[in-house]
Amino acid sequence: MTAPLDPSSTVFVDVDTQVDFVEPDGALYVPGGELLKPAFATLLEAARRHDRPVIASADAHPPGDPEFATFPPHCLAGTPGQRRVAETEPTAARVIDVAGVDAGGEGRTTVLEKVKFDLFTNPAAERELAATGAKTAIVFGLALDYCVRAAALGLRERGYETVVVRDATAPVTAEGGARVEAELRDAGVRFATTAEVDAAFP
Ligand SMILES: [Zn+2]
């Protein structure tokens, strides 16, 4: 990472840190996902220390979702596999459902439910991000070559300085990860480590 992070202009974007992706017995386990949990916790603690907003995307599929033609059924709305892991489960959050409707709750964390890879398919995503006033998005979660990719590219398209925390994400395949890392760098996405972000949020 080059230029230092200014904590006061940041939003943390926690992508799909859900049981079905993170845990080895999850329905669509991303290899090594469970090893990232300490990094997830460190990043969210940094956000908490500086009272920064968190946008937390969450797959919330209905039974028979078209995505299940490509991937095994996962993150079925309301099931244990759809929950966030303990390290990223907010104590209080506002939930925006897949239609972009505020489903209640309040807190520093806004959960954006979605049925596609891209969190911007939630109709409220742009508005919710804009409402944070942030200029820089610190992105982590799963999986690097699918939903993290979509989030990072979508943030860049919308003018956010975008930092992907490389040791707080993992790809489904190593080849996919290498290809996407190059693609993201070409799109102007920066990469940082959890330790670098932590140090920037004293
Ligand atoms: Zn999905």
Side-chain angles (χ1 to χ4, degrees):
M1 208 169 65
T2 48
L5 284 169
D6 171 10
S8 69
S9 67
T10 54
V11 58
F12 285 69
V13 179
D14 166 357
V15 178
D16 300 12
T17 54
Q18 296 166 271
V19 169
D20 273 344
F21 298 123
V22 175
E23 300 291 2
D25 60 354
L28 190 50
Y29 172 56
V30 178
E34 81 280 19
L35 305 176
L36 307 178
K37 291 194 284 187
F40 299 160
T42 297
L43 294 167
L44 290 173
E45 175 59 21
R48 190 203 60 77
R49 279 200 301 275
H50 283 257
D51 199 26
R52 298 312 304 161
V54 177
I55 298 284
S57 69
D59 261 13
H61 291 293
D65 192 283
E67 196 177 275
F68 300 161
T70 315
F71 293 100
H74 59 276
C75 296
L76 284 153
T79 63
Q82 196 239 340
R83 294 188 67 87
R84 304 193 100 74
V85 294
E87 287 76 3
T88 65
E89 177 70 44
T91 50
R94 197 157 59 90
V95 178
I96 310 289
D97 73 14
V98 295
V101 175
D102 193 328
E106 56 183 42
R108 190 166 45 78
T109 299
T110 301
V111 175
L112 286 178
E113 296 186 332
K114 64 187 180 70
V115 290
K116 307 256 193 233
F117 297 158
D118 184 354
L119 68 84
F120 288 100
T121 56
N122 183 307
E126 283 189 17
R127 182 193 74 212
E128 293 298 329
L129 271 158
T132 68
K135 295 182 169 57
T136 301
I138 298 171
V139 183
F140 63 95
L142 295 172
L144 174 59
D145 39 353
Y146 289 94
C147 295
V148 170
R149 169 185 180 270
L153 291 175
L155 286 158
R156 285 298 300 145
E157 282 167 17
R158 289 163 179 83
Y160 292 91
E161 182 183 19
T162 304
V163 178
V164 169
V165 187
R166 186 62 185 86
D167 59 346
T169 184
V172 173
T173 67
E175 313 82 74
R179 186 184 68 246
V180 164
E181 193 171 332
E183 179 188 19
L184 294 181
R185 286 186 195 279
D186 284 348
V189 172
R190 297 158 64 200
F191 286 84
T193 65
T194 300
E196 285 173 329
V197 174
D198 192 38
F201 287 71

